[in-house]
């Protein structure tokens, strides 16, 4: 059993053995090809297949996903590249795939592609473990927990148990939680998937994704898909991501603590409804979250009375960027309905707590709410 603390593991993950006069983390390997005489065997042959910088990062993410266990991680150019790699490498014509109907807004685009290939797609909400009702005969169950942006949490152990009993593979989108929040492979999932654009890298300057598997055959299918479609990350992005992992625990702990503080403050405000945060004891997701999550994430969602007041709130914020991503060191918020595709009210706000001083951030939110809701 690996007993190393999360902070220690994040700082040391994926580093090569120390070598005299060499850097602790080697710089990015910019290479389209490698010296290769004779038979094309060896770890590095062509830049679309492998890269030393990817190797270090993939080992690091694997150590965070399943400490002390043999797993294989494949990194991708974006979170959606990782999502597509799992779904499109596993499903065949005539198969059944179960998706959440309240997941990330680009997921319906993958559904359209699956259906175009002759795959039957069934959907159900994350909350209440509703996907169980449409699981019969499925090849793959896709879970997103907590869901984005609604923040519902399903009982992962229950869904995985039922799926495996029926011969169904399980993939979990773990973007919102990160491996420091929950570890899907430890809870029985076959694939742990994430957009590392968000909390894993945490600075809002990299697009990246990954898939981690215990089963080498499943991992090989995902890796082959990356090769076929060429959805590879650049070496600079991979190196920056690895560097950013060193502060993962520091960032996540501050962000989760601030998110809870903010949620508690929002719960006392008139004019704020629909408040959701899995770490609030009164939240509908809390009973499941507290059983399977170690940290509850940086994202809080709530509803303001209408579009106009939601826009006013966002305009009045001084320490928060009006931006669509989440999980970064700088707080972000957006009126989610502006994109369409999510079944949310016009005044729905998705707020991602950053690494600012909690008192400053809460004060900024309180002041912006006063302005938006006409309070003083």
């Amino acid at each position: 059993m690996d007993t190393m603390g999360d902070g220690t593991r994040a700082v040391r993950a994926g580093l090569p053995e120390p070598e005299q006069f060499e850097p602790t983390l080697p710089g990015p390997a910019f290479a389209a090809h490698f010296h290769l005489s004779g038979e094309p065997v060896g770890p590095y042959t062509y830049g679309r297949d492998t890269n030393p910088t990817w190797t270090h990062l993939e080992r690091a993410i694997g150590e965070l996903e399943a400490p002390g266990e043999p797993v294989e991680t494949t990194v991708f150019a974006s979170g959606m590249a990782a999502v597509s790699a799992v779904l499109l490498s596993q499903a065949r014509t005539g198969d059944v795939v179960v998706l959440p109907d309240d997941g990330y807004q680009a997921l319906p685009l993958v559904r359209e592609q699956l259906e175009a290939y002759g795959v039957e797609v069934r959907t159900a909400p994350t909350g209440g473990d509703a996907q169980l009702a449409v699981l019969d005969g499925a090849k793959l169950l896709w879970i997103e927990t907590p869901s984005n942006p609604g923040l519902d949490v399903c009982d992962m152990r229950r869904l995985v148990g039922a799926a495996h009993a029926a011969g169904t593979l399980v993939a979990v989108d773990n973007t919102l939680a990160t491996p420091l929040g929950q570890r899907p492979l430890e809870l029985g999932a076959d694939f742990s998937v994430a957009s590392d654009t968000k909390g894993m890298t945490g600075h809002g300057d990299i697009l990246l994704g990954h898939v981690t598997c215990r089963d080498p055959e499943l991992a090989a299918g995902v890796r082959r898909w990356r090769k076929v479609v060429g959805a590879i990350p650049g070496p600079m992005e991979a190196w920056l991501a690895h560097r950013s992992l060193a502060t993962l625990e520091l960032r996540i702990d501050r962000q989760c603590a601030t998110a809870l503080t903010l949620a508690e403050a929002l719960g006392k405000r008139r004019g704020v409804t629909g408040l959701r945060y899995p770490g609030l004891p009164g939240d509908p997701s809390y009973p499941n979250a507290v059983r399977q999550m170690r940290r509850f994430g940086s994202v809080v969602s709530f509803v303001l009375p209408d579009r106009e007041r939601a826009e006013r709130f966002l305009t009045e914020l001084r320490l928060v960027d009006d931006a669509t991503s989440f999980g970064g060191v700088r707080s972000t918020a957006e009126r989610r309905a502006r994109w369409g595709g999510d079944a949310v009210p016009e005044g729905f706000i998705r707020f991602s707590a950053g690494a600012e001083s909690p008192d400053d951030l809460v004060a900024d939110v309180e002041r912006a709410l006063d302005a938006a809701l006409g309070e003083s």
Side-chain angles (χ1 to χ4, degrees):
M1 175 66 72
D2 189 318
T3 58
M4 189 180 294
D6 286 338
T8 305
R9 187 178 297 107
V11 167
R12 305 296 306 177
L15 297 181
E17 289 297 318
E19 189 171 335
Q20 188 77 343
F21 309 122
E22 292 296 323
T24 304
L25 177 62
F30 297 102
H33 54 80
F34 303 84
H35 289 294
L36 186 67
S37 59
E39 294 301 313
V41 294
Y44 305 108
T45 57
Y46 185 63
R48 191 180 66 251
D49 298 335
T50 50
N51 179 290
T53 309
W54 303 350
T55 299
H56 295 312
L57 176 60
E58 289 172 343
R59 288 174 180 168
I61 293 173
E63 290 173 27
L64 296 172
E65 286 277 11
E69 300 184 32
V71 295
E72 293 188 32
T73 295
T74 305
V75 291
F76 289 86
S78 70
M80 280 308 298
V83 169
S84 299
V86 173
L87 288 165
L88 297 175
S89 71
Q90 297 303 312
R92 302 287 184 272
T93 300
D95 285 343
V96 174
V97 170
V98 175
L99 302 178
D101 64 11
D102 54 350
Y104 180 55
Q105 70 167 184
L107 209 52
L109 299 177
V110 185
R111 175 183 180 170
E112 291 176 9
Q113 193 62 58
L114 287 168
E115 290 175 335
Y117 290 154
V119 176
E120 178 186 345
V121 180
R122 303 173 188 159
T123 63
T126 299
D129 299 340
Q131 288 174 296
L132 288 173
V134 294
L135 195 57
D136 185 49
K139 171 71 177 295
L140 176 70
L141 167 64
W142 186 273
I143 297 171
E144 184 178 306
T145 181
S147 61
N148 172 27
L151 302 180
D152 278 319
V153 175
C154 62
D155 185 337
M156 204 185 306
R157 290 185 184 88
R158 184 186 180 199
L159 266 67
V160 168
H164 284 174
T168 303
L169 295 169
V170 180
V172 176
D173 185 334
N174 201 38
T175 300
L176 203 146
T178 81
L180 267 61
Q182 67 188 4
R183 295 189 182 124
L185 299 183
E186 288 186 357
L187 296 168
D190 300 289
F191 304 89
S192 182
V193 188
S195 169
D196 300 321
T197 307
K198 314 298 194 300
M200 284 286 276
T201 57
H203 290 77
D205 52 9
I206 302 170
L207 267 70
L208 204 75
H210 81 266
V211 179
T212 303
C213 310
R214 275 203 181 92
D215 186 328
E217 289 189 19
L218 294 178
V222 169
R223 197 169 292 267
R224 181 180 182 277
W225 183 263
R226 181 181 68 180
K227 177 177 179 176
V228 168
V229 300
I232 59 173
M236 190 67 199
E237 285 78 6
W239 185 86
L240 287 169
H242 197 170
R243 183 206 61 174
S244 298
L245 288 181
T247 59
L248 181 60
E249 186 197 43
L250 298 173
R251 292 185 281 106
I252 295 297
D253 279 351
R254 166 61 75 88
Q255 291 168 272
C256 291
T258 300
L260 178 58
T261 300
L262 177 63
E264 291 171 342
L266 289 168
K268 300 173 184 176
R269 294 285 313 212
R270 288 184 299 171
V272 173
T273 60
L275 175 65
R276 298 298 305 272
Y277 182 66
L280 281 175
D283 189 274
S285 290
Y286 184 78
N288 280 334
V290 77
R291 286 195 299 268
Q292 66 194 31
M293 299 184 73
R294 298 156 58 236
R295 295 170 175 87
F296 300 111
S298 66
V299 177
V300 178
S301 66
F302 56 96
V303 180
L304 296 180
D306 51 41
R307 173 176 179 165
E308 180 181 1
R309 279 176 278 194
E311 295 283 6
R312 176 72 187 278
F313 166 71
L314 294 169
T315 300
E316 292 289 337
L317 290 166
R318 296 291 177 265
L319 301 179
V320 182
D321 296 333
D322 189 344
T324 191
S325 198
F326 61 86
V329 291
R330 289 174 290 278
S331 291
T332 58
E334 72 168 338
R335 191 181 66 83
R336 191 63 185 166
R338 66 182 176 172
W339 295 97
D342 290 316
V344 295
E346 286 293 328
F348 182 97
I349 301 292
R350 186 183 69 183
F351 193 108
S352 176
E356 299 89 356
S357 297
D359 290 346
D360 294 337
L361 185 62
V362 172
D364 190 43
V365 170
E366 295 275 18
R367 183 193 50 75
L369 285 172
D370 288 343
L373 300 176
E375 300 177 19
S376 58

